[in-house]
């Protein structure tokens, strides 16, 4: 079965497509890394960039796992509190920009009658700031960030909250993800999953998706073919 046929099957009966945000819709992960790196450096610890992509971005270990792995005498909550305003400044000053192919994909889906939403581990205020700065807020019918979420990806809570905000069953929603933690989260929520490779996740072995693509650009191109 071709990727086009598989995508048709995935979208058949679906009413919404819910995107992960960081590294899928926007080129933000390098800025998350820079913010965390600055905070840890101030405490005398260096975060390895390649290790960050695997352990933090894909697996979802976060600051708490970094502290445990290296036996650091640091409080994860305090580290997060120091990091958040640094990253928020990147969101507000225009440093973090959407991928054009992601915005094009969202517009194609909206034009075809799908609801489009975001389910992210970032704060909603940061997501809103980036989208509003790039005239893209109106594309998304729902935005769920980490605010009010008790259990982050790979737990299904983030995706379940997005489905609830859309007033749709998870079986009527399709997730677009780039990370292992996200695929597990959407799967556990009861959703079909499209995995898109990115520059950061390229080469990582991530299974569990219904369809794996070379990137959001391939998803856009397949949609163009289907909708034509």
């Amino acid at each position: 079965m071709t990727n086009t046929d598989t995508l048709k099957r995935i979208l058949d009966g679906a009413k919404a497509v819910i995107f992960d945000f960081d590294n899928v819709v926007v080129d933000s992960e390098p800025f998350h890394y820079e913010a965390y790196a600055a905070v840890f450096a101030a405490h005398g610890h260096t975060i390895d960039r390649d290790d960050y992509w695997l352990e933090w971005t894909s697996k979802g270990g976060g600051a708490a796992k970094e502290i445990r792995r290296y036996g650091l005498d640091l409080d994860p909550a305090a580290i997060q509190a120091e990091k958040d305003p640094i990253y928020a400044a990147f969101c507000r000053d225009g440093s973090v920009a959407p991928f054009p192919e992601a915005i094009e994909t969202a517009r194609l889906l909206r034009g075809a009658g799908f609801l489009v939403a975001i389910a992210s581990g970032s704060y909603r205020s940061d997501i809103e700031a980036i989208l509003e700065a790039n005239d893209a807020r109106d594309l998304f019918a729902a935005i769920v960030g980490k605010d009010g979420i008790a259990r982050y990806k790979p737990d299904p809570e983030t995706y379940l909250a997005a489905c609830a905000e859309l007033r749709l069953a998870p079986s009527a929603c399709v997730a677009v993800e780039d990370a292992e933690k996200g695929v597990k989260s959407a799967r556990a929520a009861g959703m079909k999953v499209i995995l898109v490779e990115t520059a950061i996740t390229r080469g990582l072995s991530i299974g569990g998706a219904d369809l794996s693509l070379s990137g959001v650009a391939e998803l856009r191109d397949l949609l163009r073919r289907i909708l034509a």
Side-chain angles (χ1 to χ4, degrees):
M1 183 178 290
T2 67
N3 285 346
T4 302
D5 292 333
T6 301
L7 182 58
K8 284 181 180 178
R9 178 179 55 80
I10 291 170
L11 294 177
D12 184 33
K15 297 182 182 299
V17 178
I18 305 176
F19 288 80
D20 179 37
F21 192 64
D22 296 299
N23 208 36
V24 173
V25 176
V26 293
D27 191 15
S28 56
E29 284 295 355
F31 297 96
H32 280 294
Y33 168 78
E34 292 297 337
Y36 274 120
V39 172
F40 273 96
H43 291 279
H45 177 70
T46 300
I47 302 175
D48 180 81
R49 184 180 290 268
D50 292 335
D51 194 52
Y52 177 86
W53 304 145
L54 176 62
E55 297 296 336
W56 296 52
T57 301
S58 186
K59 294 185 177 180
K65 185 175 181 181
E66 184 80 4
I67 290 168
R68 290 196 306 271
R69 288 175 71 200
Y70 293 95
L72 305 175
D73 185 20
L74 297 172
D75 176 14
I79 292 294
Q80 188 72 47
E82 291 180 50
K83 177 263 182 181
D84 287 343
I86 298 174
Y87 177 72
F90 289 137
C91 298
R92 292 193 304 270
D93 69 14
S95 296
V96 186
F99 295 111
E101 58 269 30
I103 298 302
E104 292 167 5
T105 301
R107 292 194 190 283
L108 283 169
L109 289 165
R110 278 286 303 273
F114 292 94
L115 293 173
V116 184
I118 289 169
S120 172
S122 289
Y123 288 107
R124 179 172 181 144
S125 58
D126 291 339
I127 298 168
E128 297 268 8
I130 296 167
L131 294 176
E132 288 172 3
N134 291 276
D135 298 320
R137 175 62 185 89
D138 64 329
L139 287 173
F140 299 94
I143 294 176
V144 172
K146 67 193 298 181
D147 321 63
I149 299 296
R151 296 173 299 278
Y152 304 143
K153 300 175 186 180
D155 188 274
E157 184 178 349
T158 301
Y159 274 110
L160 290 174
C163 293
E165 191 165 328
L166 292 170
R167 298 183 180 181
L168 292 173
S171 58
C173 302
V174 176
V176 179
E177 271 286 350
D178 75 315
E180 178 181 330
K181 62 183 179 183
V183 172
K184 288 181 176 179
S185 174
R187 274 290 190 207
M191 300 168 61
K192 292 186 174 67
V193 187
I194 298 169
L195 177 69
V196 291
E197 191 176 58
T198 69
I200 290 174
T201 62
R202 189 164 295 125
L204 300 182
S205 179
I206 302 173
D210 296 278
L211 175 63
S212 296
L213 301 175
S214 61
V216 177
E218 184 178 3
L219 175 58
R220 176 203 60 198
D221 294 344
L222 291 174
L223 282 169
R224 283 175 175 167
R225 193 174 306 157
I226 291 170
L227 299 176

